[in-house]
Amino acid sequence: MSENVSGKRYILALDQGTTSSRAILFDEAAQAVGLAQLPFEQRYPKPGYVEHDAMEIWETQREAMRQCLQSAGVRPDQIEAIGITNQRETTVIWERDTGKPIAPAIVWQCRRTAARCDELVQDGWAEKIRDKTGLVVDAYFSATKAEWMLNRSPELRERAAQGELLFGTVDSWLLFQLSGKRLHVTDVTNASRTMLFNIHTLDWDDELLELFGIPRAMLPDVRPSSALYGETDAAVFGARVPLAGIAGDQQAALFGQGCFQPGMAKNTYGTGCFLLMNTGDRPIASTHGLLTTVGWQIGDEVTYALEGSVFIAGAGVQWLRDELGLIQDAAETETLAYSVPDANGVYLVPAFTGLGAPYWDPYARGTIWGLTRGANRAHIARASLEAIAYQTRDVLDAMEIDSGMALQRLLVDGGAVQNKFLLEFQAGVLGIPVVRPEQFESTARGAAFLAGLSVGFWPNLEHLTKLIGTAATVFAPQMEESQREELYQGWKRAAHLSRGWLQES
């Protein structure tokens, strides 16, 4: 990065993801002018269990901030505001006084509370929870994770009731640390992913708190996504800087893509795959396995969204690399996919932690169907990319039915959008154009936008729309309708055959 001109002002976005902590610096033109990224350990103590060390999350995030500013030649006092975007649902419980976690963070992917979710459904809670929260009953969300952590001893629950222990998603955890242990705050988007928050009243729901045994005393205050929450502690950050924007990673990407109008949608291809559609100022209840969630809140105005969550997208490619050793680098899948005319009838269903929307089957497991003697690693690599596209179509079909809105194009972001084959196949299997913006950093940019709006760094949404611009690569569908449907029907059969594996074993 070039040496900074003294006096220029910036917005710093903290993008705390599932596998790495990132810090991205944005200038007034919304261009990324500094970036640092640090990975951290993924822990799998038992099959289906996924954990993080919350202190390692904070330490890597703090170091990423330091490296980002240093590489750009920017001082902490030149930061106008900080915005946070984060892996959602991941649950941290920590001591108010010491700031130390009581246990490892339970990650959104973790399935340890699947049986508890089955109990809730059997006891008739599914409809009530959906009506209040917009969510399906699933181990994906925070409520059963926090309940599990508190259930480890009566003493923990008593301390929580006294307010000695604090619960939060990763945004709350970072805000607490950044503020020198002064702030315990979240925003409506993260709150809406806990299965404890009523998306109609915009408050924690007392009936659900009682159901899960979560004392209100341990919960963060819920604020809009663009608001002045407080300031960084100068000893922590090097200056007192406004903490002014928060959104869960997928809502931040929706905002960062400029999906400000109802009917606009984006898909983020990361570890998982997350498709969100702006539905305006009203929550739309899904009858096809989608989630109704808060998109963002600015002032008193709340924007809602429909969401479909695919648990395994890029993580499926990582599996080919790290566990099977079929590739050395994720980028190899593009070359391998192009080296064969088709997948040779092979379908890979990456249900390593169950299937997300619209199936919501925690007992599905990963499978490869259609193998013959002629199947090789190129076919399997291609099938892993095709699986991402098929799962996206699963979600989009459900979304169009629920919303009554036909999508004209799909905006995309995330690490995997650099894979040209994936986007060409995605356009083909959807039958609509797929649009990749010039800047891939939609998630971090969304957090920066929310923070910048609250401190007047940027004036309004119209200004942000101009900053996003129109520079993009468009992938038009090239597939015949008959081929599209034949391939997709094969996928649906493969997905069906992968379901209920654990129950049937």
Side-chain angles (χ1 to χ4, degrees):
M1 301 289 176
S2 59
E3 189 174 340
N4 174 62
V5 178
S6 180
K8 278 191 80 172
R9 310 292 289 174
Y10 302 89
I11 300 291
L12 180 63
L14 309 184
D15 183 358
Q16 204 301 302
T18 307
T19 58
S20 70
S21 298
R22 308 166 76 236
I24 299 99
L25 201 61
F26 290 90
D27 63 14
E28 286 186 44
Q31 296 297 306
V33 295
L35 185 151
Q37 178 170 350
L38 292 168
F40 56 89
E41 186 183 3
Q42 308 295 302
R43 299 180 178 180
Y44 309 99
K46 294 181 184 178
Y49 280 45
V50 190
E51 296 178 348
H52 289 158
D53 178 346
M55 287 307 300
E56 188 183 9
I57 286 176
W58 163 234
E59 289 159 4
T60 53
Q61 190 63 75
R62 187 175 184 178
E63 178 60 16
M65 289 189 297
R66 189 194 69 76
Q67 289 184 16
C68 177
L69 267 61
Q70 184 180 53
S71 70
V74 170
R75 303 185 309 273
D77 63 7
Q78 289 178 267
I79 306 303
E80 194 81 8
I82 293 174
I84 296 172
T85 183
N86 54 287
Q87 53 166 317
R88 305 170 304 170
E89 299 93 20
T90 294
T91 301
V92 187
I93 296 179
W94 67 94
E95 296 176 332
R96 182 189 293 273
D97 289 344
T98 67
K100 292 182 179 177
I102 65 163
I106 302 181
V107 180
W108 59 272
Q109 298 162 312
C110 187
R111 310 306 296 170
R112 74 183 66 183
T113 59
R116 169 60 171 145
C117 291
D118 289 344
E119 277 179 26
L120 291 166
V121 173
Q122 288 161 10
D123 291 345
W125 280 98
E127 188 174 351
K128 181 167 279 191
I129 287 174
R130 176 185 283 281
D131 288 346
K132 288 172 178 281
T133 69
L135 307 177
V136 299
V137 176
D138 192 83
Y140 178 31
F141 305 108
S142 310
T144 57
K145 300 179 193 298
E147 179 187 46
W148 188 94
M149 293 169 88
L150 291 178
N151 280 347
R152 293 187 312 145
S153 81
E155 180 204 357
L156 290 175
R157 201 169 288 285
E158 189 175 323
R159 292 181 68 196
Q162 297 299 319
E164 294 176 19
L165 301 181
L166 301 180
F167 156 88
T169 41
V170 170
D171 58 305
S172 300
W173 167 244
L174 293 179
L175 210 66
F176 183 82
Q177 299 294 346
L178 283 164
S179 64
K181 304 181 179 63
R182 292 183 179 89
L183 293 175
H184 189 216
V185 171
T186 191
D187 89 302
V188 288
T189 69
N190 281 290
S192 75
R193 312 299 296 190
T194 60
M195 216 159 69
L196 298 169
F197 185 75
N198 190 309
I199 62 172
H200 308 285
T201 65
L202 300 180
D203 192 13
W204 302 114
D205 190 275
D206 288 327
E207 186 178 17
L208 296 181
L209 296 183
E210 185 178 351
L211 173 65
F212 292 105
I214 309 293
R216 191 179 270 265
M218 73 184 307
L219 296 173
D221 292 334
V222 183
R223 307 276 180 83
S225 312
S226 181
L228 187 58
Y229 313 115
E231 293 181 323
T232 57
D233 186 295
V236 173
F237 186 67
R240 292 171 65 88
V241 174
L243 295 158
I246 302 173
D249 52 11
Q250 304 314 318
Q251 287 95 330
L254 188 70
F255 198 79
Q257 282 272 30
C259 294
F260 303 141
Q261 302 303 316
M264 296 183 73
K266 70 87 202 173
N267 196 19
T268 297
Y269 300 79
T271 303
C273 214
F274 301 90
L275 204 156
L276 273 74
M277 175 186 280
N278 179 335
T279 61
D281 60 2
R282 62 191 180 98
I284 293 177
S286 172
T287 57
H288 292 82
L290 301 182
L291 309 178
T292 305
T293 195
V294 179
W296 57 78
Q297 181 183 0
I298 299 175
D300 294 331
E301 293 187 10
V302 180
T303 296
Y304 291 91
L306 277 172
E307 173 175 336
S309 306
V310 172
F311 294 152
I312 301 294
V317 174
Q318 292 171 346
W319 174 73
L320 295 183
R321 180 192 66 196
D322 299 339
E323 271 65 50
L324 296 192
L326 289 186
I327 54 173
Q328 297 297 312
D329 184 83
E332 267 186 75
T333 57
E334 180 180 288
T335 305
L336 286 169
Y338 279 131
S339 74
V340 288
D342 53 46
N344 197 24
V346 174
Y347 287 90
L348 191 158
V349 183
F352 304 136
T353 55
L355 284 170
Y359 308 100
W360 293 106
D361 184 350
Y363 303 106
R365 281 298 176 266
T367 50
I368 302 176
W369 302 99
L371 288 174
T372 60
R373 182 64 182 81
N376 59 38
R377 75 184 185 110
H379 297 126
I380 293 172
R382 180 168 175 139
S384 73
L385 297 177
E386 291 183 354
I388 300 172
Y390 290 134
Q391 291 177 101
T392 298
R393 170 149 175 196
D394 284 339
V395 172
L396 188 58
D397 283 359
M399 196 168 278
E400 290 189 334
I401 295 169
D402 280 336
S403 69
M405 304 176 193
L407 198 66
Q408 302 303 311
R409 59 179 191 154
L410 180 64
L411 298 166
V412 299
D413 56 58
V417 300
Q418 297 173 69
N419 191 305
K420 186 181 173 188
F421 172 83
L422 171 61
L423 298 192
E424 286 178 350
F425 190 82
Q426 184 71 85
V429 86
L430 292 180
I432 58 172
V434 168
V435 181
R436 181 179 69 191
E438 190 175 35
Q439 274 202 39
F440 297 166
E441 299 294 348
S442 301
T443 304
R445 186 169 63 180
F449 280 169
L450 290 165
L453 283 173
S454 67
V455 297
F457 190 75
W458 294 300
N460 49 45
L461 297 185
E462 290 75 19
H463 184 78
L464 296 183
T465 300
K466 291 176 184 174
L467 290 178
I468 293 168
T470 56
T473 304
V474 179
F475 297 85
Q478 303 292 331
M479 196 181 291
E480 293 290 334
E481 176 71 21
S482 58
Q483 183 188 11
R484 175 183 308 133
E485 293 312 309
E486 182 182 351
L487 288 171
Y488 183 57
Q489 290 307 313
W491 160 259
K492 288 175 77 172
R493 182 165 177 249
H496 172 73
L497 290 168
S498 302
R499 299 189 63 185
W501 177 259
L502 290 188
Q503 289 176 325
E504 295 169 4
S505 61

